[in-house]
Amino acid sequence: MSEGKLKTICVVGLGYIGLPTAVVLASRGTSVIGVDVNKDVVAKINRGEIHIVEPDLDAVTARVVQNGFLRAATAPETADAFVIAVPTPFHDNKADLSYVHAAAASVAPVLKPGDLVVLESTSPPGTTERMAAQLASLRPDLKFPRHGEEGCDVQVAYCPERVLPGRVLVELVENDRVIGGITHACSARAEELYRIFVTGSLLQTGVRTAEMCKLTENSFRDVSIAFANELSIICEKLGINVWDVIRLANHHPRVNILQPGPGVGGHCIAVDPWFIVQAAPEESRLIRTAREVNDGKPKYVLEKIKTAIAGVRAAGAEPKVALLGLAFKPDVDDFRESPSLHIAEIVAGWNDCAVLISEPYADALPGALAGHKHVRLIADAHDAVRQAHIVVMLVNHRHYKDIPVADLGDKVVIDTRGVWS
Ligand code: SAJ
């Protein structure tokens, strides 16, 4: 077993995490092979272009591809370390680990003694050890780690990503990382990899603790947002401005309440708590309830829109509803698991009002919104607001900051984000 410098790194999965990781590694002068099963994504990256929106990522990608440090391919190639950053969706109350298994199977044939394999994908506790066992069955000629057994040919670790979409290039470098090796030697080798680009602390621990840590972080945030969302419904019932309550309560030195919204979206916070519920269903009462509170928020917003539409119609007008924002959160182009998109699709499906959609990150109407005569994408948000009887603020994109409050004058305003409240 030779464990020299990590000169070549293969990143498997070039999505929202894998691509920035590959690019940042390459920007430190490491030779990186980025792997994705999607040929179009591979071709695009090899032209120095990117397929996601993330501040500054385009310029750095263009540079590292041009200077030869990053090359994309459709299959893994020989390298010193492999970083697996593929999706782990949640279907039918179960984590779907098929992409992790497929990625591990694709890496297995090119592994050699001294290599490191790190799983970054969010996973239920035990996944990394199962992945190591899968690699061992595919490569019986190599010794893979098992708990407590040092002296392996290939090191295997789990290191969750913790970056916030919209701030990925900064957080990839500055955030502390939890590194869970199957053995101490695995953790130490993985630390060498992350030291190439991370300036934050590298915190070594056991593999299952690292897996649970990732799920815990996102569940903590989900529970906190559920508290804010529940508070918003309580305050509305009591005729109290929830945004004032939160702002003032947060002056207490030990209180830090998050912001209510139209629901919780994205592929992490709205999903990861279910991994914990799946692992310990009886014991996860608070975590499950928080998920239910956050999942219930879009329905609450929809009821308000329905009442507003009925009010406009009762006053003798044909209702026009402006929906501002479809993304799962401000200033990103990501519509996955977006409560705002879900709300827009349901309003469009009612078929009883004109729907004027504003979404600065969409060139065309996504999903089930396309193809309806009564649903239009309006490029200028001011224009959508001016035309509408009902204005629903769903995503506080920075583009909406300069909508004059005076334009809202006689309209029914449903402000789920507290922009004008
Ligand atoms: N949201 C609120 N109120 C808030 C904050 C967020 O309603 O006060 C909503 C957002 O609008 C969005 C959802 O929650 O719909 C999730 O957004 P987010 O900004 O909280 O988180 P994500 O999903 O973009 O990223 C999270 C981060 N995790 C934590 O903050 C603990 C990030 O660090 C993780 O790397 C990422 O999940 C991930 O990949 O797991």
Side-chain angles (χ1 to χ4, degrees):
M1 175 175 57
S2 74
E3 291 200 349
K5 201 167 171 286
L6 298 168
K7 287 196 194 109
T8 305
I9 293 166
C10 182
V11 178
V12 183
L14 296 176
Y16 282 82
I17 300 304
L19 178 58
T21 303
V23 166
V24 170
L25 274 164
S27 75
R28 299 297 188 269
T30 306
S31 174
V32 180
I33 304 150
V35 175
D36 203 285
V37 288
N38 185 327
K39 286 195 189 82
D40 296 338
V41 165
V42 167
K44 200 159 195 178
I45 291 167
N46 282 333
R47 289 197 302 269
E49 297 164 13
I50 58 174
H51 61 293
I52 57 175
V53 172
E54 182 58 41
D56 305 327
L57 184 63
D58 47 358
V60 195
T61 306
R63 200 178 71 230
V64 293
V65 170
Q66 200 188 7
N67 64 22
F69 284 108
L70 173 65
R71 178 171 56 81
T74 52
E77 297 173 16
T78 310
D80 303 315
F82 297 82
V83 174
I84 297 181
V86 294
T88 45
F90 201 81
H91 300 305
D92 306 326
N93 290 330
K94 270 201 357 237
D96 173 1
L97 300 174
S98 55
Y99 297 102
V100 173
H101 296 318
S106 73
V107 160
V110 295
L111 287 176
K112 59 183 183 340
D115 283 356
L116 166 72
V117 181
V118 181
L119 178 63
E120 287 204 3
S121 312
T122 302
S123 302
T127 305
T128 311
E129 287 151 297
R130 278 193 292 277
M131 184 186 79
Q134 179 195 355
L135 291 171
S137 72
L138 292 168
R139 288 296 302 271
D141 55 316
L142 294 172
K143 184 166 181 227
F144 287 84
R146 283 196 306 197
H147 182 67
E149 274 182 27
E150 300 286 349
C152 297
D153 294 321
V154 176
Q155 312 293 3
V156 181
Y158 181 74
C159 180
E161 57 78 17
R162 306 164 120 176
V163 291
L164 197 72
R167 279 180 48 81
V168 169
L169 285 190
V170 175
E171 293 207 358
L172 256 185
V173 173
E174 293 181 2
N175 287 0
D176 297 343
R177 300 285 295 236
V178 174
I179 297 178
I182 295 183
T183 65
H184 292 299
C186 296
S187 298
R189 187 68 167 154
E191 176 160 352
E192 284 175 41
L193 169 68
Y194 289 96
R195 197 38 83 212
I196 296 173
F197 65 98
V198 175
T199 58
S201 302
L202 299 175
L203 310 161
Q204 291 191 21
T205 185
V207 65
R208 285 184 186 222
T209 306
E211 289 167 332
M212 187 64 184
C213 202
K214 169 71 191 181
L215 303 176
T216 301
E217 290 162 10
N218 281 351
S219 299
F220 169 78
R221 194 150 166 93
D222 196 44
V223 172
S224 306
I225 299 169
F227 180 75
N229 276 332
E230 185 164 290
L231 208 57
S232 73
I233 295 171
I234 294 168
C235 283
E236 179 135 25
K237 182 170 179 178
L238 302 181
I240 297 168
N241 183 319
V242 69
W243 314 100
D244 286 344
V245 170
I246 292 174
R247 182 174 51 81
L248 296 168
N250 281 348
H251 278 268
H252 184 291
R254 283 172 297 284
V255 173
N256 186 11
I257 304 169
L258 293 180
Q259 298 298 301
V264 168
H267 37 286
C268 309
I269 302 228
V271 178
D272 298 0
W274 289 120
F275 287 55
I276 296 183
V277 176
Q278 180 199 349
E282 297 292 321
E283 296 76 9
S284 312
R285 290 186 298 156
L286 184 61
I287 293 171
R288 181 198 295 270
T289 304
R291 270 289 67 243
E292 287 165 358
V293 168
N294 287 335
D295 274 353
K297 195 71 196 289
K299 191 161 176 266
Y300 178 80
V301 175
L302 282 161
E303 286 303 320
K304 291 178 62 156
I305 301 174
K306 189 172 252 173
T307 306
I309 291 172
V312 170
R313 178 154 292 118
E318 266 312 300
K320 286 188 189 163
V321 182
L323 301 177
L324 304 188
L326 298 175
F328 90 90
K329 68 176 198 172
D331 306 324
V332 298
D333 71 326
D334 194 342
F335 304 134
R336 287 178 292 177
E337 317 280 341
S338 168
S340 306
L341 177 60
H342 173 67
I343 288 169
E345 287 176 347
I346 294 199
V347 173
W350 288 339
N351 241 329
D352 67 346
C353 57
V355 185
L356 313 172
I357 305 240
S358 155
E359 175 44 67
Y361 292 98
D363 302 328
L365 285 172
L369 291 173
H372 294 286
K373 271 205 190 118
H374 66 294
V375 185
R376 281 190 295 140
L377 183 67
I378 309 266
D380 179 2
H382 292 59
D383 197 20
V385 168
R386 273 191 293 270
Q387 291 184 46
H389 302 101
I390 301 160
V391 177
V392 190
M393 168 57 76
L394 291 171
V395 188
N396 43 335
H397 286 308
R398 61 171 174 271
H399 306 75
Y400 300 148
K401 277 210 178 96
D402 49 356
I403 293 178
V405 180
D407 279 10
L408 301 169
D410 53 342
K411 303 174 192 296
V412 183
V413 176
I414 300 173
D415 181 3
T416 73
R417 298 281 187 171
V419 173
W420 302 306
S421 305

